[in-house]
Amino acid sequence: MTTPQDLDDRFRESLGALPEPERRRDPAAPVRDGSTLTGRQLLALFDAQVNSRQLDLAGRWLHSFDEGYHTVGSAGHEANAAVAAALRPTDPALLHHRSGAFYGIRAAQAAGEFPGPAAGTSAAGTSAAGTSAAGTSAAGTSAAGTPAAGPAAPTSGDIGPAADGGGADPAHAGRPAGAGLLDSDGTGLSGGGQPTTRSASTVTAAYRVGADGVTEAVGTDPVDSATAAIDAAGRQPAIEAAASADAPAGDPAAAAPPGDDPASFTGDAYAAAARDVLRGMVASAQEPIAGGRHKAFGRADLAVVPTTAVAATHLPRAVGLGLALERLRRVEAAGRRGDEPALRSPWPRDAIVVCSFGDASVNHAGATAALNTAGWYDHTGLRIPVLFVCEDNGLGVSVRSPEGWVERALRSRPGVRYFAADGEDPVDTYAVAAEAAAWVRRHRRPAVLHLRTVRLMGHAGDDVETTYRSAAEIAADEARDPVLATARLLVEAGVAGGEELLTRYDERGWQVRRIAEEVLEEPKLGTVAEVVAPLAPRRPSRVAAVVAEVAARAVGSAAGARVEAFGGKLPELAGPLTLAQSINAALTDGMLAYPGMAVFGQDVAARGGAHGVTRGLRERFGAARVFDTVLDETSVLGLGLGAGLAGLLPVPEIPHLAYLHHAEDQLRGEAATMQFRSQGAFRNPMVLRVPGLAYRESSGGHVPHDNSVAVLRDVPGLVIAVPARPDDAAPLLRTCLAAAAVDGTVSVFLEPTALYHVRDLYEPGDGEWLGRYAEPGGWAAGHVPIGRARVYGVGSAEDVTILTFGNGVRMSLRAAATLADEGVGTRVVDLRWLAPLPVADLLREASATGRVLVVDETRRSGGVAEGIIATLVDGGFVGAVRRVAGVDAFVPLGPAARTVLVSEEAITEGARTLLAR
């Protein structure tokens, strides 16, 4: 196998063997005829590649004595430096773990240290013959294999298909209404949103040049930085992304060169980038994005969004971000309406999204969902400016990608344009990447860049690749080393000689090694408080204030719009409402309060959702804000994650709780971890509506009756609200929306489908399950903070306490009425929040009677009751406790469902047994 020492020795030997150039050439000139890449730029690429290679060697060195905790390196993938150079430092980038060279270039670009192009050229020049976008693509190519000519991107008032040589889009005329975040009139949401990122002045780390001349990170307080002032609408200032939103659309590499002498490039930005990466490897608390909590490429001021890099789980978010950026771009062009706050993108209006992944990830559900959804939207005529970059080294750890499979899989994606480049040729890679980026930027449409790479030193850590690769295969990859290829081209172009490049390599190596030794001495996270600080910030007073401000606007400046939205029939004047009606009214008020709010999912627009709860919303707010999506839960959540990252307030719907399991990692691994792994620099506020739980009449089977919430309660920081009563639904939803705006909270609003249309409680026709919708003047007084329960007293309320939620509330109140006839007084406590549990309320109400019956409509194993009882024990409760819970089984069809679900009779009998002790 190739050890770090072998790789270093062979590379140094190869560099030393390179000759001096036959003649020196102007470093400002192109390195090859027909290319726009200059000698100065190529040398900068070499420095970034060397910096990345030395980081890999340092990572393995650290790991050798158990100080390097992350060893997935970039060796062999350094061609992505040229991809970064073809982009702008303000293009949001979601990168996989082999992106060291990309990150270095991005840091140099942002610092103004990456040199500009040759005079009179542009980055999107002609690529090497026969390699640019070879073959056909969904958008169409010319006979020569290059993209056919096309007009400029559509104007803000035109969202029709771009006539770019691919012919008319026959599907556009039949585009489904509300198929995305943009309407056919070029407008979208009508005001401000909830930006998710801090301003560039308050990113998690500032940078200064130390006494030794090395740029180093100086940490700021991540919690304080994340708590920027909220304005009247509950929004946080958006990141400026190191550039004005109106930045000129010049060459992506344009910057003042550091000097005519290529050796004058000092690479301070590379040193800073190396310090970032090394801090991540050693879990330093001073690492600028995650503070030692997670190893990822990320920095807010570089527009690099940290990812989990688990295969392709970040790709659906990239699609959502692209759709949101395009939507914000058009809203900004349309201008503000009335006195509504302006929506503003955290990134420039012409920014594109770039996301990278490996060849094996092509087969992952996340990649399939993302590429399919991007193409689906393109087919409908909507635009998603996303550049997918597939870095193909032919291996997924030890599993080979079948020859030709990746190219065939990527080429066949409808609506996603295909480009290809060989990472062994930096000129070709740069040219094709620039061409692809320019195409996406111009047409606002998705494309994929298939970049052929190699993998050196195995997958990671102690991977012994000789167990699954032959010596000949390994040697063949070593011969295609992209860094050595760049060095050879520098010599051929007359820019530098072998000895000079070897000196640069060694000097960079010593610099990286010295930084590695320095970061070893930096502090690590050492307390629970330090670790969890950015996980899920809670500022209940701020949330309450936003609810009050929203209420004030509803009776003030927004009163007329509110009357219009409700068609003159305000819900507070409509009499008692059902649970479904109350949620619908609260969603309407939320859309009025938060101009960045969008409701979307499967069937939510024309049909009004699987249960009719969103009926009428599209007519009230338009197809730009209420729209149907592709029927894929991963993509629905990905759209929400991207929209939240862009500063909007997404409210997606998954039609059944059972369907959430198809995509739960988008909630667990992507949504809930964002603030944790970025110290609040990035966030993705979201309120996910999920109809679920059991007891729904005339519908059976385990899909519409899924009663499992264990996977949700296990997610750190996730808020789970379960409204049982109509008069609770609106306050809970208002709290979730305000928490998303203030703290970036990710909430699941779990709606009991069986209670949607229930009207009666005790007797047919009593109407006691209906509830009045509070007028805005009462919203502040009726505010329900996260983690506060509701208590009902039945009879004397002194004998037994029932702790329950959802359908259990109605059943428990009915059981309590039966017990009251027997002289038993009951306290029925509606948890309302399954995460975090209302601990103080539970302990208080349990202690009031000394007898607790937990009524849990989920299952005995992994059910909510387990957490409640553990909370009572941890809180010192010493009374009697009993539980009634569902059976560990899926819910069967028809009347058999009653055999596995909790019943009123079981609740009554459980209370009697408890009292008999």
Side-chain angles (χ1 to χ4, degrees):
M1 63 175 293
T2 302
T3 66
Q5 187 65 47
D6 291 338
L7 186 64
D8 182 53
D9 287 346
R10 288 196 181 101
F11 187 78
R12 297 186 75 260
E13 181 180 350
S14 297
L15 280 184
L18 291 176
E20 284 297 305
E22 294 182 4
R23 64 183 181 87
R24 292 280 179 166
R25 299 180 185 175
D26 181 2
V31 295
R32 183 183 293 166
D33 291 343
S35 170
T36 63
L37 193 68
T38 68
R40 186 179 289 111
Q41 289 175 313
L42 187 63
L43 193 61
L45 290 179
F46 177 78
D47 278 331
Q49 292 177 326
V50 165
N51 196 59
S52 178
R53 179 64 56 82
Q54 294 290 2
L55 283 170
D56 287 349
L57 298 177
R60 299 302 177 101
W61 172 69
L62 290 165
H63 184 66
S64 70
F65 52 91
D66 298 326
E67 287 289 354
Y69 305 108
H70 190 278
T71 55
V72 177
S74 303
H77 282 245
E78 292 91 352
N80 57 37
V83 177
L87 295 161
R88 298 177 186 166
T90 51
D91 291 329
L94 293 81
L95 306 176
H96 69 152
H97 278 322
R98 303 192 190 278
S99 301
F102 185 111
Y103 187 74
I105 289 292
R106 177 59 64 92
Q109 288 175 320
E113 293 182 5
F114 189 80
T121 65
S122 66
T126 305
S127 65
T131 61
S132 172
T136 61
S137 71
T141 55
S142 67
T146 56
T155 64
S156 61
D158 174 20
I159 193 172
D164 56 5
D169 184 356
H172 179 69
R175 182 184 65 176
L181 288 169
L182 298 172
D183 208 347
S184 57
D185 61 1
T187 62
L189 306 190
S190 54
Q194 290 71 37
T196 59
T197 51
R198 293 202 295 256
S199 67
S201 61
T202 57
V203 293
T204 55
Y207 287 82
R208 69 181 179 200
V209 178
D212 57 2
V214 176
T215 304
E216 59 183 321
V218 182
T220 59
D221 187 331
V223 177
D224 289 345
S225 297
T227 57
I230 305 291
D231 68 8
R235 293 176 298 275
Q236 288 190 353
I239 186 173
E240 298 300 333
S244 165
D246 297 319
D251 184 87
D260 290 335
D261 181 3
S264 69
F265 179 74
T266 60
D268 280 348
Y270 291 163
R275 191 175 295 272
D276 290 348
V277 175
L278 288 166
R279 281 173 162 162
M281 289 181 185
V282 303
S284 167
Q286 296 181 32
E287 192 269 330
I289 192 66
R293 294 170 184 84
H294 176 71
K295 168 61 178 70
F297 294 105
R299 227 172 76 188
D301 59 332
L302 300 184
V304 177
V305 181
T307 72
T308 59
V310 179
T313 59
H314 58 294
L315 268 60
R317 179 199 297 275
V319 173
L321 180 56
L323 185 62
L325 290 186
E326 185 63 6
R327 179 224 167 282
L328 287 168
R329 174 175 177 263
R330 294 175 184 269
V331 169
E332 288 180 14
R336 297 172 59 179
R337 299 179 181 180
D339 61 352
E340 292 173 337
L343 274 177
R344 186 179 181 188
S345 172
W347 291 283
R349 287 176 56 188
D350 63 347
I352 66 173
V353 181
V354 60
C355 56
S356 59
F357 58 105
D359 55 289
S361 294
V362 166
N363 308 297
H364 192 273
T368 298
L371 291 163
N372 179 73
T373 299
W376 187 87
Y377 271 108
D378 189 78
H379 185 73
T380 68
L382 295 177
R383 299 299 181 238
I384 298 184
V386 176
L387 177 61
F388 299 96
V389 180
C390 178
E391 298 183 20
D392 182 2
N393 62 29
L395 287 166
V397 188
S398 65
V399 180
R400 290 175 173 81
S401 294
E403 184 65 31
W405 168 250
V406 175
E407 178 178 350
R408 184 173 181 180
L410 294 176
R411 279 185 181 276
S412 64
R413 298 291 180 180
V416 181
R417 183 147 191 155
Y418 178 85
F419 294 86
D422 187 347
E424 193 178 359
D425 185 344
V427 172
D428 173 61
T429 299
Y430 178 75
V432 176
E435 184 180 1
W439 189 88
V440 173
R441 198 180 310 278
R442 179 187 185 194
H443 297 290
R444 318 304 294 171
R445 299 178 68 180
V448 60
L449 170 60
H450 182 194
L451 180 63
R452 292 175 178 82
T453 65
V454 295
R455 192 191 74 189
L456 305 177
M457 291 199 299
H459 174 70
D462 301 321
D463 176 34
V464 181
E465 59 181 343
T466 52
T467 60
Y468 54 87
R469 300 186 77 194
S470 69
E473 289 176 312
I474 295 173
D477 273 2
E478 291 172 351
R480 297 184 59 223
D481 187 333
V483 189
L484 187 57
T486 302
R488 292 191 183 107
L489 184 56
L490 284 167
V491 173
E492 293 171 6
V495 177
E499 287 298 324
E500 178 185 342
L501 295 175
L502 177 59
T503 298
R504 294 177 82 93
Y505 175 78
D506 286 339
E507 288 178 349
R508 186 69 63 183
W510 284 111
Q511 182 186 55
V512 169
R513 178 64 68 91
R514 180 171 56 81
I515 296 173
E517 293 171 346
E518 291 171 357
V519 299
L520 278 174
E521 305 302 318
E522 294 179 349
K524 310 288 194 297
L525 297 172
T527 68
V528 171
E530 289 176 333
V531 171
V532 303
L535 174 63
R538 297 276 184 267
R539 291 175 291 178
S541 61
R542 297 285 289 277
V543 172
V546 168
V547 171
E549 291 162 3
V550 166
R553 288 199 302 275
V555 296
S557 61
R562 188 166 184 264
V563 172
E564 181 181 355
F566 283 107
K569 300 177 181 179
L570 296 175
E572 60 266 30
L573 303 178
L577 305 178
T578 64
L579 179 66
Q581 291 170 331
S582 183
I583 294 172
N584 180 280
L587 287 170
T588 300
D589 273 321
M591 296 284 277
L592 291 166
Y594 302 98
M597 178 174 159
V599 174
F600 54 91
Q602 302 170 22
D603 302 312
V604 303
R607 185 185 176 193
H611 309 279
V613 178
T614 58
R615 190 167 295 145
L617 290 182
R618 187 180 69 172
E619 289 71 26
R620 294 169 188 165
F621 298 100
R625 297 186 65 185
V626 182
F627 57 91
D628 293 323
T629 64
V630 61
L631 269 65
D632 173 60
E633 289 74 26
T634 295
S635 294
V636 171
L637 291 179
L639 294 176
L641 296 179
L645 190 64
L648 303 177
L649 203 167
V651 183
E653 176 185 308
I654 300 295
H656 299 288
L657 177 59
Y659 292 177
L660 179 62
H661 304 305
H662 301 166
E664 59 197 27
D665 190 55
Q666 287 294 303
L667 197 61
R668 181 197 64 82
E670 293 293 325
T673 63
M674 178 52 78
Q675 296 201 84
F676 179 77
R677 65 175 183 259
S678 71
Q679 301 185 94
F682 296 99
R683 61 185 209 174
N684 39 223
M686 183 165 66
V687 180
L688 172 63
R689 294 183 47 253
V690 184
L693 303 176
Y695 301 97
R696 185 176 165 210
E697 296 294 334
S698 73
S699 177
H702 70 277
V703 171
H705 287 271
D706 192 334
N707 61 342
S708 174
V709 298
V711 70
L712 296 175
R713 294 193 64 250
D714 186 52
V715 180
L718 188 70
V719 170
I720 307 172
V722 183
R725 299 293 297 263
D727 53 349
D728 270 339
L732 265 62
L733 184 55
R734 280 193 286 268
T735 297
C736 290
L737 292 173
V742 171
D743 294 321
T745 301
V746 179
S747 301
V748 174
F749 201 71
L750 181 58
E751 303 166 6
T753 58
L755 298 178
Y756 270 148
H757 308 297
V758 171
R759 306 176 69 86
D760 307 321
L761 175 55
Y762 300 113
E763 301 291 341
D766 66 17
E768 291 196 35
W769 198 254
L770 300 174
R772 290 191 173 275
Y773 192 86
E775 61 181 359
W779 292 356
H783 171 61
V784 179
I786 292 174
R788 290 302 305 272
R790 180 176 181 176
V791 183
Y792 300 85
V794 181
S796 66
E798 295 179 351
D799 299 311
V800 64
T801 299
I802 297 179
L803 305 178
T804 189
F805 62 95
N807 293 289
V809 178
R810 184 170 183 269
M811 290 189 294
S812 294
L813 286 173
R814 290 169 61 90
T818 300
L819 293 170
D821 292 339
E822 301 172 6
V824 177
T826 306
R827 293 169 184 252
V828 177
V829 180
D830 180 2
L831 302 177
R832 298 195 291 197
W833 307 93
L834 300 188
L837 286 170
V839 175
D841 294 338
L842 299 187
L843 292 172
R844 183 189 64 250
E845 299 304 321
S847 300
T849 66
R851 300 182 186 91
V852 174
L853 179 67
V854 181
V855 176
D856 179 9
E857 63 175 291
T858 65
R859 303 165 191 166
R860 295 184 64 84
S861 298
V864 179
E866 292 180 343
I868 294 172
I869 294 172
T871 296
L872 294 174
V873 172
D874 290 344
F877 178 70
V878 294
V881 180
R882 183 179 176 83
R883 67 170 169 167
V884 178
V887 174
D888 287 347
F890 299 105
V891 180
L893 191 66
R898 301 189 188 105
T899 66
V900 300
L901 298 175
V902 173
S903 66
E904 293 175 26
E905 293 76 13
I907 297 171
T908 306
E909 190 58 35
R912 291 173 181 147
T913 302
L914 192 62
L915 289 165
R917 288 185 177 179

